[in-house]
Amino acid sequence: MENKKRMVSGITATGTITLGNYIGAIKNFVELQDKFEMYIFVANLHAITSPIDKLKLKNNIKSMVALYFACGLDPKKVKIFIQSEVLEHTQLGWILTCNSTLGELNRMTQFKDKSTKVKSSNGTEFIPTGLLTYPLLMAADILLYDPDFVPVGKDQKQHIELTRNIAERMNSKYGEMFKIPGDYIAKIGSKIMDLQDPTKKMSKSSDNPKSYISLLDDLKEVEKKIKSAVTDSENIVKYDPEKKPGVSNLITIYSSIKNQTIEETESYFKDKDYGQFKNEVTKCVCDLISSIQENYNKLYDSKEVEQWLEEGANSARFIANKKLNKVMNLIGLNYKRK
Ligand code: AMP
Ligand code: TRP
C-alpha cells in the first residue's frame, strides 16, 4: 500500500486570489499533488476576522473554489473543501484557544500589523478579537489532519511555529495527540511584493488595486499594472531585493512562472531594457492568467464542482472527526470512554 506524506493548506476568502497567492501557495499545491496526500480548503471562517460584506463573502468563496480547480488542482488527487463545512475546525480551535496565552498571540507580527491599522482610532477598543485569535483556528486547521508539511508563503511561517509550540505543549501535557507539522516554503516566490510599494507584501486586501494582480483581472488591466509597476532608474535587469526591490520582484514573478532560476532570468534579460523586460513579464503573466480564466469560466457554475466539494468535505470530516475525538478523550471532555 502506498504511504504518501500528507499536506494541508488553505487560502482566506477575503477577495479573489492574487498572483502572490498563486505563486506563493497554489502553484506549489499543484506541483505537489502527485507526491502528497493533500487537503486544501477555502478558509471562509478566516475571512470574517474583519468585517466583510455578506454578498462579497459568498462570491469570494464560490470564485475561490472554481479558481483552485482552474489553476490545476485535480479533484482525483486533492481533497478540496470549505472550512466551515467541517465543524471540527471550530471545535478544535476553541480547545487550542484554551491552551494558548495572550502573550503568544500578541507576538504575532501579522496581528501587530493589522491591529495597528485599527488601533489609531481608540486604543484596543475596536480591534476585532478574531484578528488576535485567528492563528489558533489556523493551528486547528492544521493539527486536525496530522500533516507532515504545510505549504505556505513566508508570511505564515510564524503561525506555523506557533502551531508547533501548542502541539508540543499539549502532547506533553495530555499525552501524544498531534503530529508536529513542518512548513514547506518554495525557494522562489514565497513573498511576492506589492507592485506599487515593493517593500510590502502583495495583498488582496490592499486599498490600491494597482498594487496587486488578481487572477481574475482583465488582461488589459494586468498589462497596465505591470507597466506601471515601480522599478528604478538604472535600466539594468538585476536581482537585488535591497537596492532594486521592484525589478527583483518582477524577476521573481517571471522566474517562478517560467520555472527557472533567478540567474537564468537575469542572464536572459542581460542586454534588454526595462521596456522589453516589462513586455515579457506582461506576456508571461497574461498567458498564465488567460489559461486559468478559460478553465475558470467553464467551472464557475458547474455541478461537478459542488460534487467535488462534497467528496472533499466527506474525506476531510472522516479524518478530522477521529482526531477531535482523540483530543477530547485525552483532555477529559468525553465522559464516556470510546
Ligand atoms: P492569504 O491570502 O493571506 O490567505 O494567503 C494564502 C496563502 O498565500 C498563504 O500560504 C500565504 O502565505 C500565501 N501568500 C499570500 N500573499 C502572498 C504573497 N504576496 N507572496 C507569496 N505568498 C503569498
Ligand atoms: N492564515 C492563512 C493566511 O492568511 C490561511 C490559512 C488558514 C492557512 N488556515 C490555514 C494556511 C492552515 C495553511 C494552513 O495566509
Side-chain angles (χ1 to χ4, degrees), residues 8-12 41 43 46 134 138 141-142 150 152 155-156:
V8 63
S9 195
I11 298 185
T12 311
F41 57 91
H46 286 269
Y134 116 101
M138 174 165 170
D141 298 337
I142 296 170
V150 185
V152 282
D155 61 326
Q156 296 302 317

Side-chain angles (χ1 to χ4, degrees), residues 19-75:
L19 189 62
N21 291 136
Y22 176 81
I23 292 178
I26 299 185
K27 185 169 181 283
N28 302 314
F29 305 164
V30 175
E31 284 164 7
L32 294 162
Q33 65 184 340
D34 290 316
K35 276 215 230 121
F36 290 85
E37 181 194 348
M38 297 191 82
Y39 290 82
I40 304 290
F41 57 91
V42 173
N44 59 343
L45 292 167
H46 286 269
I48 60 170
T49 47
S50 295
I52 182 165
D53 173 74
K54 164 175 148 186
L55 264 183
K56 186 166 182 267
L57 179 59
K58 267 176 173 264
N59 286 334
N60 290 346
I61 297 169
K62 184 165 179 191
S63 146
M64 192 172 277
V65 168
L67 272 173
Y68 273 157
F69 295 112
C71 287
L73 288 179
D74 180 346

Side-chain angles (χ1 to χ4, degrees), residues 10-12 20-21 24-25 151-156 189-192 201-202 204:
I11 298 185
T12 311
N21 291 136
V152 282
K154 226 185 239 163
D155 61 326
Q156 296 302 317
S190 64
K191 192 171 183 186
I192 299 299
K201 180 189 88 155
M202 179 184 285
K204 57 187 165 231

